[in-house]
Amino acid sequence: MTYQLYYWPQIQGRGEFIRLALEDAGAPYRDVCREKRGEAQLMRILGPRAAFAPPALKAGRLLLFQTPAILHWLAPRLGLAPRDEAARARLLQQQLTIADWLAEVHDTHHPIASHLYYEDQKREAKRRGAEFRRVRLPKFLKHFAEPEKRFSYVHLSLFQMVEGLRYAFPRAMRRLEPRGLAALHDRVAARPRLAAYLASPRRIPFNAMGIFRHYPELDDPRRM
Amino acid sequence: MTYQLYYWPQIQGRGEFIRLALEDAGAPYRDVCREKRGEAQLMRILGPRAAFAPPALKAGRLLLFQTPAILHWLAPRLGLAPRDEAARARLLQQQLTIADWLAEVHDTHHPIASHLYYEDQKREAKRRGAEFRRVRLPKFLKHFAEPEKRFSYVHLSLFQMVEGLRYAFPRAMRRLEPRGLAALHDRVAARPRLAAYLASPRRIPFNAMGIFRHYPELDDPRRM
């Protein structure tokens, strides 16, 4: 089975959470929208009724949207989750909290609307960013401070959160990052297939279009 | 099996999506936090590591958080979802889009931080509310304009979205509500067990503490 991933080709975004699972498992997949005429192929599977937004995964006849739903379905097939239903539900719970966290990261730079430019909501972004760093970021980091021992796709997603947050909020993360989460990050980065992926051109660099953006004015103030 | 629901006792909130499933199925359940010393019981199952936020469902030894994860696990046991894995994944996809929608409704009145008062983010709320009504609300309504024929827990959640949005944004909803979604709302409201629930004191009225709040300044301007 060759999986087909559909996602915006310019950013890591939500698609990256699925890429990490496919890459870590060494699963055969096509990153369809990064091929020739890829965006046209993305547009074909979207449409107001079929889907709300990418990413999408095609697996045989199944076309599935929503990152946590895709990972929930995919992970047991890749050996990244147990088959037991209660254990899978608990992983889904954690992935949903990561999705909430990611949405809050997005809203630090887009607190008014995702369809408006950052520059047009910069004042509100500064306020939301400050509250995020003061209250929400510590709360999420504390919640995930001691990740479960048994490896699963949730660990890959937590690795990505740490990577992204270090890029977007380097000063706040130096202050707040729990030791357990940093250790998880390093263990995941050292997994051979994942390390090879991260060093490859398949890994899109962080940039100013993605969900994790580095705007110094949204990070902790620089020390004097 | 008597299910135990844990959620803030003063509001419908996210817990209501689970209540609707339990009530429609006629499942035996306790709404734990609405019993004596209920909030103390809620505090006992929370805590920074165990959970991020309610609702929670306890079913035997399983303690599960996150509304879409709870519904995904619960619905086949209540006859509100098929057992087929691909079909369940597609329902989860839809429920996740409803969760995204609900989070955007919440952020119309709390665009800066959920831990600050509405009054302290009212200016930003007016801006976010206007963009929500102009772009996001029509997009979500269009996406769900023709619900699937086969009844599932997703229909109950869509009913709740329509109920809540009519309460919070009555003028915008009169302008935007798709016929297919209004018809779904009426079909769900007429289901005997659900109708009995809605008429009972178990249904908490909408209020100014919940996710759906009626602030006239966030709705369409009144016609002259």
Side-chain angles (χ1 to χ4, degrees), chain B residues 207-223:
Chain B
N207 60 44
M209 296 174 293
I211 297 177
F212 293 106
R213 300 188 188 184
H214 179 55
Y215 292 129
E217 62 272 23
L218 301 187
D219 194 6
D220 277 358
R222 206 177 291 277
R223 295 222 192 146

Side-chain angles (χ1 to χ4, degrees), chain B residues 101-120:
Chain B
W101 189 5
L102 187 70
E104 293 198 23
V105 170
H106 171 272
D107 282 9
T108 59
H109 49 79
H110 280 75
I112 300 301
S114 54
H115 52 268
L116 300 179
Y117 290 113
Y118 168 64
E119 287 68 24
D120 294 330

Side-chain angles (χ1 to χ4, degrees), chain B residues 83-102:
Chain B
R83 294 224 164 238
D84 169 66
E85 206 190 349
R88 279 179 76 189
R90 277 189 292 259
L91 292 179
L92 176 59
Q93 169 195 317
Q94 292 174 54
Q95 192 66 32
L96 291 175
T97 302
I98 292 172
D100 290 345
W101 189 5
L102 187 70

Side-chain angles (χ1 to χ4, degrees), chain A residues 153-167:
Chain A
Y153 70 94
V154 169
H155 289 69
L156 297 171
S157 293
L158 286 174
F159 161 83
Q160 177 67 6
M161 291 304 296
V162 171
E163 281 277 292
L165 288 164
R166 285 180 182 174
Y167 170 77

Side-chain angles (χ1 to χ4, degrees), chain A residues 111 115 120 127-128 131 146, chain B residues 111 115 120 127-128 131:
Chain A
H115 52 267
D120 295 332
R127 225 187 137 194
R128 181 147 186 164
E131 293 300 330
E146 289 174 15
Chain B
H115 52 268
D120 294 330
R127 229 189 133 192
R128 182 150 185 159
E131 293 300 329

Side-chain angles (χ1 to χ4, degrees), chain A residues 55-212:
Chain A
L57 184 80
K58 221 173 151 187
R61 289 176 54 199
L62 179 70
L63 176 64
L64 195 59
F65 288 81
Q66 281 280 5
T67 311
I70 292 168
L71 287 169
H72 177 77
W73 182 88
L74 186 61
R77 289 163 173 81
L78 302 182
L80 293 172
R83 294 225 165 239
D84 169 67
E85 205 190 349
R88 280 180 75 190
R90 276 189 293 257
L91 292 179
L92 176 60
Q93 169 195 317
Q94 292 175 53
Q95 192 65 34
L96 291 174
T97 302
I98 293 172
D100 290 345
W101 190 3
L102 187 71
E104 293 199 24
V105 169
H106 171 272
D107 282 8
T108 59
H109 49 80
H110 280 76
I112 299 301
S114 54
H115 52 267
L116 299 178
Y117 289 114
Y118 168 63
E119 286 68 25
D120 295 332
Q121 48 196 313
K122 202 165 163 177
R123 189 172 61 183
E124 295 91 343
K126 277 187 195 166
R127 225 187 137 194
R128 181 147 186 164
E131 293 300 330
F132 176 75
R133 280 163 12 234
R134 186 176 71 84
V135 176
R136 302 298 288 176
L137 181 57
K139 183 173 171 174
F140 280 106
L141 287 170
K142 195 172 175 185
H143 178 62
F144 287 110
E146 289 174 15
E148 284 179 21
K149 294 236 159 33
R150 185 175 179 174
F151 185 77
S152 77
Y153 70 94
V154 169
H155 289 69
L156 297 171
S157 293
L158 286 174
F159 161 83
Q160 177 67 6
M161 291 304 296
V162 171
E163 281 277 292
L165 288 164
R166 285 180 182 174
Y167 170 77
F169 303 97
R171 297 194 291 271
M173 281 297 273
R174 270 197 293 278
R175 175 171 58 86
L176 293 169
E177 195 179 294
R179 203 171 299 176
L181 210 48
L184 171 143
H185 171 276
D186 296 349
R187 279 200 308 278
V188 169
R191 289 170 70 87
R193 279 193 292 247
L194 208 74
Y197 165 65
L198 295 172
S200 79
R202 299 195 299 286
R203 172 79 163 180
I204 301 166
F206 287 110
N207 61 43
M209 296 174 293
I211 297 176
F212 293 106

